[in-house]
Amino acid sequence: MGRALTQDDWELLRSTAVEAMGQAYAPYSNFPVGVAGLADDGRLLSGCNVENASYAVGLCAECGLISDLVRTGGGRLAAVWCVDSRGETLMPCGRCRQILWEHGGEQCRIQTPEGERSLAEILPQAFGADDLTKGAR
């Protein structure tokens, strides 16, 4: 996104994340999660967690968000907000921070329980595509 995020952008992200959380499939943990993001071209994206009886193959909400980003044309994430069943801000797990990094990079903004941050702040010294080329021989 070429412009600064506004309060309206953040409010739209939160309300969309809450809406997505309402569609979560979480019969095992009873911990529904929703997430919303803005792509760099202004597209509004969302995702929710989808659990599985084989716990390890469940999908975090952020996986759905990235799937929505790719499905609707790709690009980069500019901003993300993740919520729990009460609509409270939820910090993505480490795996999901890495997934968000891949599709948003250090400049992507994220709401955290402590306020708005960059992905670089919540995933310092992140591993990315550049690291693969550095290690190639």
Side-chain angles (χ1 to χ4, degrees), residues 7 9-18 34-38 45 47 62 65 79-83 87-90 92 100 109-113:
Q7 186 62 34
D9 291 329
W10 286 114
E11 289 174 14
L12 177 61
L13 282 172
R14 184 181 179 284
S15 65
T16 302
V18 169
V35 64
L38 282 175
L45 311 157
E62 294 84 351
L65 174 70
V80 176
W81 196 329
C82 187
V83 300
E88 297 294 322
T89 302
L90 184 64
L100 293 172
R109 307 300 296 174
I110 184 167
Q111 280 293 337
T112 77

Side-chain angles (χ1 to χ4, degrees), residues 1-32:
M1 256 173 89
R3 62 176 174 76
L5 294 164
T6 67
Q7 186 62 34
D8 287 343
D9 291 329
W10 286 114
E11 289 174 14
L12 177 61
L13 282 172
R14 184 181 179 284
S15 65
T16 302
V18 169
E19 182 181 321
M21 179 272 303
Q23 299 301 312
Y25 177 73
Y28 307 108
S29 71
N30 292 313
F31 193 80

Side-chain angles (χ1 to χ4, degrees), residues 10 28 30 34 38 43 49 52 90 93 100 104 114 117 127 136:
W10 286 114
Y28 307 108
N30 292 313
L38 282 175
R43 277 175 295 138
N49 59 322
N52 189 287
L90 184 64
C93 70
L100 293 172
E114 297 178 352
R117 302 282 189 270
F127 182 86

Side-chain angles (χ1 to χ4, degrees), residues 124-136:
Q125 300 180 20
F127 182 86
D130 291 343
D131 294 295
L132 296 175
T133 58
K134 289 178 195 171

